[in-house]
Each structure stands twice: as C-alpha cells, then as structure tokens.
Amino acid sequence: MRTGFADLHHTVLKGDLCSYCGGCVPACPADVLSYARERPVIDGPCASGCRICFDVCPENQANSTVLDAYMADHRPAVERQLVGRLADPDLLARTGSGGVTTGLALYLLESGRVDAVVLTGFGGANAWTPRPMIATTRDEVVAASGPKYALTPTLSVLDRIADEGYERVMFVGLPCHIESLRQLQTAGDRLADRPRRAVRAITHAVGLWCGNNFRAEGTERFISAAGIDPAEVTEVGYTRRDGRLEFSVTTPDGSAGAPFGQYLGYLLAGQTAPSCQGCRRWHAAYADISVGGLDTPGLKWSGFMVQTREGQDLVSGAEAAGYITVQDMPLDERARLGRKNTRSRGFGTPKPRNSEGNQR
Ligand SMILES: Cc1cc2nc3c(=O)[nH]c(=O)nc-3n(C[C@H](O)[C@H](O)[C@H](O)COP(=O)(O)OP(=O)(O)OC[C@H]3O[C@@H](n4cnc5c(N)ncnc54)[C@H](O)[C@@H]3O)c2cc1C
C-alpha cells in the first residue's frame, strides 16, 4: 500500500510546494519525520495505511471540504471587516502596522484567558532566521511583533505545548499554518497523544494576510548585498528612525538599517519561495481573525476580518479591556479587499500561476 509520505513526496515535495509550516512532523505517529533544508524527510518505515502527514498538509487540495465542515460544526461564522491598533501609544510606536495581533495576544495572556501564545520571533538557526516560540510573558509577546519574511515551521512547537502542559493557547500564523492547524484539529484519534493534546489546547487562531513568503536565505542575501557579512550579525529587527520603519541589523561594529520598503522590495523582486508562487489562500480563511496591512496612506492601523464567534469575543474583550482601539473599515479599504478576494492575493510580484498580484 502506498504510504502517506509517498503521497506527500509525489504531490507536494517533488513539485517544491512545501510551505515548511511544521505540521506534518509532529503529526507523524511513527515519529519518523524530521526537517532538513526546509522540508520534511523520512527516516524509518511509515505505519501501513497512515496518511496523516499528507492529510494535514496545507498543499493537499482535498482538504477544503473537511475544513469547511469542521468550521461549520465548531466555529460559528461571523463576517466583520474592521481596522484596529494598539491603544498604548508607546507600544504602537514600536510596531510597523497597527499591532492588533500583539494587542490580542497581550489581552488573552494578561487576562488569564490563555496561558501561552505561539508566535514567531527572529533568532532561529541564525539571527535573521525565524524562530517558532511559545510566549508566556508580555516582554516575549512584544519582542516577537513584526513580520518575519521567511518560511517558518511554527507548528513544530506542538510537542512542547503538550510537554509543558499548556491548557489554553493562542496560535498566530500564516494561512498555511492555520490550514494545517485546523486539519490537525479535525484529525482526532488519528493523532498520537502529544499532538492531540496540543491542538486541543489551541483555543484561538489568528492568521496573517499573506501575499508572498520567502526562503530565509532571501534575507541573508539582502544583508550580504548591503555589504554586511551575515556571519557577523548578532541580531535583526525593526526600528523607527525619524518616523520611518527600518529593517535593522546589529553586528559587533554597531547597527545599520535599511528602509522597510527597500527590504521587502528586494525580497519581492526575486526571492519568493517556490511553494508560495501559486498559493491563493491570502487571508487565512480558517482563522478566527485574520489581520493585514492597509493601503490608505498615513493610517497606521491593521485591517482585520473577524471570521468566527470566538474571534468576535476576542476582539470585543480586547477592546473593552483597553488593549486595542477598533473602528469599522473605511469603504475604500473594503473595496480593495473585495478586489483582493477576486484575485486572491495580497501584495506581490506577478507570478507564473497568478499574474494579478495586488501590491500592498
Ligand atoms: C510572510 C508575510 C507576508 C505577508 N503578506 C501580507 C500581504 O500581502 N498583505 C498584507 O496586508 N499583510 C501581509 N502580511 C501581514 C502583515 O505584515 C502583518 O504581519 C499583519 O498585518 C499583522 O500586523 P500586526 O501589526 O497586527 O502584527 P504584529 O502585532 O506585529 O504581530 C505579528 C505577529 O505575526 C507573527 N509572525 C510574523 N512573521 C511570521 C511568519 N513568517 N510566520 C508566522 N507568524 C509570523 C509574529 O508572531 C508576530 O507576533 C504578511 C506577513 C508575513 C509574515
């Protein structure tokens, strides 16, 4: 019998479609999967007839029927388009867009509604590589804010969620992470005890709008192109200089920054990961809330869509507790979202399989 990993190999890996979300490795009941060079590899025999690694893969096109049914049964739908931002002006000054995601995480954590938040910081294998993390303090949540323009196996922390005994967890990820998470949540007894306990503990899922993602080496190349030896870099992050957001790099010689637009422009001009080139799931349809940037000049707000009742309760609670400020989305932004929905992309360069990438 053909195994799940063979399906994953033929359908996803051979075509370079793996989005390196991190879902398949903890899902494997035989514990024979690991990651090498941003994709799953197998080291041992698959359990006969098991297809869980393929079933939880966001690139498995058969998934949407299962997910739609799961959402209809478990997450009553809400449709609201809002804009929001952190209410704390000092925190807001540090963020690139409105920081709604950070505000929601702080609200849930500090009100005791969750005991941990799964986020993605910098400082994985290298200073510029994303690092999946479990945040349990305000400082950790704040330090993780800002986009990491690189594939990241955020779901790889599932085993730690179970081992460290977290019982209520907020998860933040890109649309591919959210789809894999929901697949894992539908898998029930097909999962081993650890991942099953972990995904059951995830009570809130916040997705980011995503038009493009990149291999981590794209950021490494950007650093090199700026004349900095990546091996010397001890820290990267975002800072504000004269009100402008910069991607900043620290070495033992000091700090240097490049305008955020220049950094993103470099990545968009040729570093898009192959797996993202045909992806059409820009707004994380299966998240409770999905958050993105706005086009309106001068508006430092996040745009977001409330998609479930849990998402609605989360936004209302965070607003009432003074963590975020919320308004209805301006009409021109709604119109832009409507256009994006028909094109199914966020910002991006023209793609072989989707030539209508909508610039942010
Ligand atoms: C690869 C990528 C592509 C994007 N494309 C678009 C787009 O086309 N259009 C658009 O409007 N917005 C896009 N965004 C979203 C946007 O950049 C903001 O992340 C989003 O608006 C949330 O803003 P915020 O101020 O609420 O986030 P913050 O409060 O800064 O929180 C963002 C959180 O996202 C998490 N995160 C960051 N990077 C990653 C990652 N690579 N994988 C998983 N989690 C991560 C971090 O844990 C962080 O806490 C993209 C983001 C990323 C990472």
Side-chain angles (χ1 to χ4, degrees):
M1 180 185 289
R2 186 157 151 161
T3 64
F5 192 78
D7 283 334
L8 194 67
H9 177 75
H10 287 287
T11 315
V12 178
L13 303 177
K14 248 171 78 175
D16 220 355
L17 294 176
C18 173
S19 51
Y20 192 38
C21 69
C24 58
V25 171
C28 174
D31 207 10
V32 291
L33 298 187
S34 59
Y35 275 111
R37 302 184 62 212
E38 300 189 350
R39 54 194 286 167
V41 290
I42 190 160
D43 178 26
C46 252
S48 171
C50 173
R51 278 171 43 104
I52 192 84
C53 59
F54 184 51
D55 286 345
V56 302
C57 176
E59 301 309 325
N60 179 348
Q61 301 296 318
N63 283 348
S64 57
T65 319
V66 178
L67 291 182
D68 288 342
Y70 172 82
M71 294 301 281
D73 287 350
H74 297 273
R75 316 295 281 189
V78 170
E79 271 185 50
R80 291 191 71 194
Q81 296 178 346
L82 300 168
V83 297
R85 62 184 179 189
L86 282 159
D88 177 337
D90 294 335
L91 267 189
L92 180 64
R94 297 178 52 170
T95 63
S97 51
V100 159
T101 312
T102 296
L104 296 174
L106 289 175
Y107 161 66
L108 285 179
L109 203 55
E110 294 184 338
S111 64
R113 285 171 173 76
V114 298
D115 42 21
V117 186
V118 175
L119 295 170
T120 300
F122 280 120
N126 302 292
W128 63 86
T129 318
R131 179 173 58 93
M133 55 185 279
I134 300 176
T136 56
T137 67
R138 181 182 187 85
D139 287 351
E140 286 169 342
V141 172
V142 172
S145 72
K148 319 298 174 306
Y149 290 115
L151 305 180
T152 167
T154 304
L155 285 161
S156 63
V157 300
L158 288 182
D159 283 348
R160 274 188 54 208
I161 290 179
D163 292 349
E164 294 170 24
Y166 299 111
E167 289 176 354
R168 294 184 63 79
V169 176
M170 169 181 170
F171 181 91
V172 178
L174 296 170
C176 45
H177 296 121
I178 301 293
E179 277 193 31
S180 184
L181 167 67
R182 293 298 191 210
Q183 282 297 335
L184 286 154
Q185 288 182 321
T186 65
D189 291 344
R190 295 177 63 208
L191 292 176
D193 177 57
R194 270 163 110 202
R196 188 169 66 233
R197 279 190 286 130
V199 296
R200 279 191 184 154
I202 294 175
T203 49
H204 301 81
V206 173
L208 309 180
W209 301 354
C210 182
N212 276 74
N213 206 354
F214 315 90
R215 288 231 162 99
E217 64 199 35
T219 297
E220 183 179 2
R221 288 199 189 108
F222 179 75
I223 294 169
S224 294
I228 297 169
D229 178 0
E232 297 277 294
V233 175
T234 54
E235 202 179 333
V236 304
Y238 297 101
T239 50
R240 280 198 175 268
R241 205 186 303 260
D242 302 329
R244 273 191 337 172
L245 190 67
E246 290 191 339
F247 173 71
S248 60
V249 168
T250 306
T251 66
D253 295 336
S255 288
F260 174 76
Q262 187 184 332
Y263 169 53
L264 186 55
Y266 177 90
L267 296 175
L268 286 168
Q271 308 297 330
T272 299
S275 55
C276 303
Q277 291 188 357
C279 174
R280 299 179 68 81
R281 59 169 89 79
W282 67 274
H283 76 293
Y286 300 106
D288 295 310
I289 297 171
S290 81
V291 190
L294 289 183
D295 262 0
T296 309
L299 264 190
K300 196 182 166 198
W301 296 72
S302 308
F304 63 98
M305 291 182 260
V306 181
Q307 305 182 141
T308 67
R309 201 167 59 204
E310 286 76 5
Q312 176 65 64
D313 292 346
L314 170 53
V315 170
S316 308
E319 187 184 16
Y323 282 83
I324 57 171
T325 308
V326 173
Q327 290 182 11
D328 280 337
M329 189 177 282
L331 283 179
D332 51 347
E333 289 291 345
R334 281 179 196 231
R336 182 177 76 100
L337 278 188
R339 288 194 298 277
K340 264 168 79 158
N341 263 330
T342 57
R343 291 172 177 160
S344 297
R345 297 293 303 183
F347 54 58
T349 46
K351 309 280 176 22
R353 281 190 279 166
N354 174 9
S355 60
E356 295 185 272
N358 196 15
Q359 292 287 326
R360 185 157 80 153

